[in-house]
Amino acid sequence: MQSQRGGSVNRQDAVEAVRLLLTAVGEDPTRHGLVRTPERVADLFLDLFAGIGVDAAAALGTPVALTDNDQPGELVALTDIPFHSVCEHHLLPFQGSVDVYYAPERHIAGLSRIAAVVDVAARRPQLQERLGQEIADAIMTVLRPHAVSVRVEASHGCVTQLEPQAASARAVTVASVGSMPAAAWQLAAGVRATPRSS
């Protein structure tokens, strides 16, 4: 079976694994309410993990080459890109938003392609710190800008479950590659100063 992104998966093994887990925790996977649960959970995880083995950089497609007459400016930013992922430590969800900033040199990408990179990188067992770095590296690899900076802000299911008093906490990570112009950083700070809508 192929995932929607082309990775090789074994749905039947995933279904059986969920059945075994239910049995291991003392449940009866054949009881009425659980009969279809293994299939549902397997299909959900196959979708959540559709980015396994997929190169996030490929999601950028073919970059747009700038001519000598093009004026791309100092900074391109796409902010508040929503994502959902699964923490590889506990297989619990974490979700939030990603802000991507890059200082173009000779190439730019369609803005929707940047959002696609975030989606691919998030659809695998992931760490928030690695997620930001994978996005930054993908953009640097394809567009070769002066610099890339990726800010990830997320809430984590493992925090909610393990430390309920910190359930409202949000983790923030920043990954950067290259040397961002000072003026571009100031603009980025201005963009981030805008309050998020609730």
Side-chain angles (χ1 to χ4, degrees):
M1 179 179 177
Q2 298 291 312
S3 74
Q4 64 183 6
R5 285 183 167 73
S8 178
V9 299
N10 189 321
R11 181 179 184 273
Q12 191 52 47
D13 280 357
V15 170
E16 185 57 29
V18 178
R19 285 199 186 99
L20 289 172
L21 177 61
L22 290 170
T23 301
V25 298
E27 258 293 0
D28 176 8
T30 65
R31 75 173 173 84
H32 179 70
L34 292 175
V35 170
R36 294 195 57 228
T37 295
E39 286 83 1
R40 292 187 189 104
V41 174
D43 288 341
L44 174 63
F45 270 80
L46 293 180
D47 181 58
L48 290 172
F49 293 163
I52 292 175
V54 180
D55 182 7
L60 278 171
T62 302
V64 177
L66 300 174
T67 69
D68 292 338
N69 294 324
D70 289 326
Q71 301 293 326
E74 289 189 84
L75 183 71
V76 175
L78 187 63
T79 65
D80 292 322
I81 306 166
F83 78 92
H84 292 81
S85 193
V86 175
C87 174
E88 68 180 34
H89 291 161
H90 297 94
L91 295 186
L92 288 173
F94 71 98
Q95 59 276 322
S97 62
V98 173
D99 302 330
V100 175
Y101 308 93
Y102 73 94
E105 184 170 6
R106 301 307 308 158
H107 296 87
I108 58 174
L111 298 178
S112 66
R113 296 295 86 214
I114 295 173
V117 171
V118 173
D119 185 57
V120 170
R123 288 182 181 264
R124 59 190 68 172
Q126 192 57 280
L127 297 175
Q128 181 172 333
E129 297 87 343
R130 187 196 307 131
L131 174 63
Q133 192 63 56
E134 287 181 356
I135 295 166
D137 289 344
I139 293 170
M140 180 59 78
T141 297
V142 176
L143 300 185
R144 298 291 181 187
H146 296 289
V148 184
S149 183
V150 177
R151 181 183 189 275
V152 183
E153 181 173 335
S155 56
H156 290 252
C158 56
V159 175
T160 301
Q161 294 300 314
L162 298 175
E163 300 293 341
Q165 74 279 7
S168 62
R170 294 178 69 83
V172 176
T173 55
V174 176
S176 297
V177 182
S179 179
M180 192 75 79
W185 272 120
Q186 291 171 1
L187 176 58
V191 172
R192 291 303 316 126
T194 304
R196 294 184 189 277
S197 58
S198 56

